[in-house]
Amino acid sequence: MDNVVLLDAVDSTHAMAKRLIADMDGEGQDLRSSLIVADRQDSGEGRGGRHWESPLGGLYLNWLRSGLEAEIVELLPMIAASAALSAVAGIEIENARIKWPNDILVADKKLAGMLVFARHGETIWVTVGLGINVATEPVLHDDEAMPATSMSSILGDGDDDARRRALAYTFVEALTSSIEDPQPALDFWRRNLIHRPGDAIRVRLASGTIVAGTLQDLTPEGHLVVRDGNDDRVLTGGDIIER
């Protein structure tokens, strides 16, 4: 890791990473592998612009760099989810799974969430955000939000700082190694998805529209192929909703 920024608090590590990308890209600079880590976020970002509760006691980070190939950028949501699951498994949580595209669940409760952002141009910039509930569980205000869990709830009390350090280290190591050789991570992602072909699913798109149907397959890019009536639809983003 070439650069590490450690913060007591920030509005959002994801927002900070995007600001840094905009500034450095605007100045024509490159950035090697870097990491932003905060103890607390005041305006944490979730998928679809939703607020991510980020109290003290969690791990909130963004990894970023420039110069990745476009083919790798397309795979980042899957590669990053695999890295996050590897990090969680390294803390001896054995029954974590991936809810498409990249939420980490344990016993149908959300332990971690991720965001991937790419800025395309002459140079491609990317940042991957990861939030993990380590010592505390966020208070949820959305009736449709998935119930949350934490590492402390699953494993019991322990050295939370050591857990955060181990999670961050393993995540970054797995992510960077998978960028060099993505296929094992892609296979790991598919094996650990909760939903399988043949499952009835409901997907909320960014527009708010809900697509209900049967999961047929996943494209090589990790997109869902859902049979809606007599038609197969390829869904590139959204949230699988359970209720």
Side-chain angles (χ1 to χ4, degrees), residues 199-218:
D199 288 351
I201 61 171
R202 300 169 67 231
V203 182
R204 184 194 295 114
L205 307 181
S207 64
T209 300
I210 294 177
V211 176
T214 303
L215 178 61
Q216 298 298 301
D217 201 354
L218 292 142

Side-chain angles (χ1 to χ4, degrees), residues 155-171:
L155 299 175
D157 293 335
D159 187 335
D160 295 322
D161 287 338
R163 287 173 177 171
R164 279 190 287 267
R165 288 193 298 270
L167 287 165
Y169 176 82
T170 305
F171 172 73

Side-chain angles (χ1 to χ4, degrees), residues 63 65-73 76 123-126 179:
W63 174 90
R65 64 166 288 184
S66 62
L68 291 183
E69 297 295 329
E71 293 78 7
I72 291 294
V73 174
L76 266 182
T123 298
I124 297 178
W125 291 78
V126 297
I179 286 171

